[in-house]
Amino acid sequence: MSENNQIRKVVNSIEPQSVMEGAGVKLRRSIATRQVDYVDPFLLFDHFGSHDPADYMAGFPMHPHRGIETVTYMQAGSVRHTDSLGNSGVISAGDLQWMTAGSGIMHEEMPQQGADGHMEGFQLWVNLPAKLKMSPPRYQEIQADSIPETKPEPGIRVKVIAGEFAGQRGPATEIAADPTYLDVALDPGVTFTTHIASDHTAFGYLYFGDGDFGGTFASATKLLIFGEGESIQVTADKIGAKFLLISGKPLGEPIARHGPFVMNTQQEIMEALKDLREGTFIKQS
Ligand code: FE2
């Protein structure tokens, strides 16, 4: 089989939808919408950010999560956070926050106004398998300077956030769904090809520029879900392209979701709500 036959085609091109979340934060959601509920093992993908602080300053006051992992990757500005494990700090441009909610975590995420008012980033929810949904919560913060950036060929820059690429391993490890999370920047006209395990779900999030994704032309901003195959091929058009390339192993388990809780059954959702009402939500702090 030639390399060409194995290149994954785009099976769904998603226009992010504007939603209001938290205490009044405007963001653009591509997964967890009426159009696409989830892309196993990924449960939600949000792109937040604006040059107008009024769009984000209300932030996300204290709220719970159970049964998932969240990965927040900042592009500009910063977010101050605290949680029920006793963590607190600020994540800034290029930093990553990876949180395993497990049995339950309460946290607050409050965007901070930067010098130029610009705040931007991405949040991905990754599902936990049934056997880990009630595991102890865990939290990890990864500074920008510990995320390796590789230049495999002229005109290609790749930050390896999770998984492996060109011999580099991303610092976000031990995420249950074993995801690969790359931040790719291509100069105009340059072609990028990479292998992705054929049993992994894969999508791209084009946040700047335009280009050809496995035969489909796309302009920012779009989330592109890839179909079956062995590799991903992207060719940037005239102004270059910047995109996240994310893949992971589907869990193939039933999903019951209710806001910040994602479990396997409705009964488990009811238990989460009951725990919250009765003050027994936090099992470990
Ligand atoms: Fe949250």
Side-chain angles (χ1 to χ4, degrees):
M1 192 188 283
S2 78
E3 168 119 334
N4 244 11
N5 290 336
Q6 305 172 355
I7 291 170
R8 293 184 182 215
K9 290 186 164 47
V10 170
V11 292
N12 201 349
S13 172
I14 297 167
E15 188 83 41
Q17 296 180 9
S18 289
V19 295
M20 200 70 111
E21 270 292 355
V25 178
K26 273 191 200 168
L27 44 82
R28 283 170 283 173
R29 179 163 293 167
S30 309
I31 299 176
T33 64
R34 227 172 286 159
Q35 193 187 351
V36 179
D37 189 10
Y38 61 87
V39 187
D40 190 8
F42 305 112
L43 297 165
L44 176 143
F45 186 83
D46 280 346
H47 180 186
F48 50 87
S50 169
H51 288 266
D52 180 0
D55 287 342
Y56 59 77
M57 285 303 283
F60 302 88
M62 217 32 109
H63 60 277
H65 287 287
R66 177 177 282 178
I68 58 168
E69 300 188 84
T70 69
V71 183
T72 307
Y73 177 43
M74 296 298 294
Q75 290 273 300
S78 56
V79 170
R80 184 173 50 79
H81 65 90
T82 57
D83 68 40
S84 53
L85 292 173
N87 300 297
S88 66
V90 174
I91 56 166
S92 301
D95 294 345
L96 187 84
Q97 183 201 78
W98 152 44
M99 183 189 83
T100 306
S103 60
I105 198 166
M106 300 281 287
H107 75 163
E108 180 179 79
E109 302 158 293
M110 303 302 282
Q112 306 292 294
Q113 185 172 353
D116 62 355
H118 184 201
M119 199 278 300
E120 186 165 4
F122 309 100
Q123 189 170 81
L124 174 73
W125 291 12
V126 189
N127 205 4
L128 280 170
K131 63 176 189 292
L132 294 177
K133 283 202 179 284
M134 294 303 281
S135 61
R138 204 167 45 151
Y139 177 88
Q140 195 172 323
E141 204 169 293
I142 294 161
Q143 304 289 324
D145 60 10
S146 58
I147 296 175
E149 183 174 47
T150 66
K151 293 175 182 163
E153 288 170 46
I156 302 178
R157 296 177 306 288
V158 181
K159 287 188 190 175
V160 187
I161 292 160
E164 269 189 49
F165 176 79
Q168 298 280 346
R169 185 148 184 83
T173 54
E174 297 172 51
I175 302 177
D178 190 24
T180 296
Y181 191 138
L182 308 177
D183 184 2
V184 183
L186 302 182
D187 285 351
V190 169
T191 295
F192 166 85
T193 308
T194 190
H195 172 80
I196 299 253
S198 57
D199 60 344
H200 279 209
T201 299
F203 71 87
Y205 188 76
L206 177 64
Y207 62 92
F208 171 82
D210 37 35
D212 179 279
F213 285 72
T216 298
F217 187 81
S219 296
T221 310
K222 285 276 180 343
L223 188 137
L224 305 150
I225 300 175
F226 293 104
E228 291 178 1
E230 293 284 331
S231 54
I232 302 288
Q233 190 166 79
V234 179
T235 301
D237 203 50
K238 294 187 184 66
I239 58 168
K242 291 183 182 175
F243 59 96
L244 306 177
L245 180 58
I246 297 172
S247 65
K249 197 167 170 42
L251 300 178
E253 294 180 356
I255 289 175
R257 68 191 301 168
H258 179 83
F261 315 127
V262 186
M263 305 302 287
N264 299 107
T265 66
Q266 201 53 35
Q267 176 62 29
E268 290 166 334
I269 294 290
M270 298 311 282
E271 280 163 23
L273 291 166
K274 181 167 175 281
D275 279 346
L276 207 58
R277 271 196 313 275
E278 296 180 352
T280 53
F281 184 76
I282 300 298
K283 308 292 183 194
Q284 277 174 284
S285 57

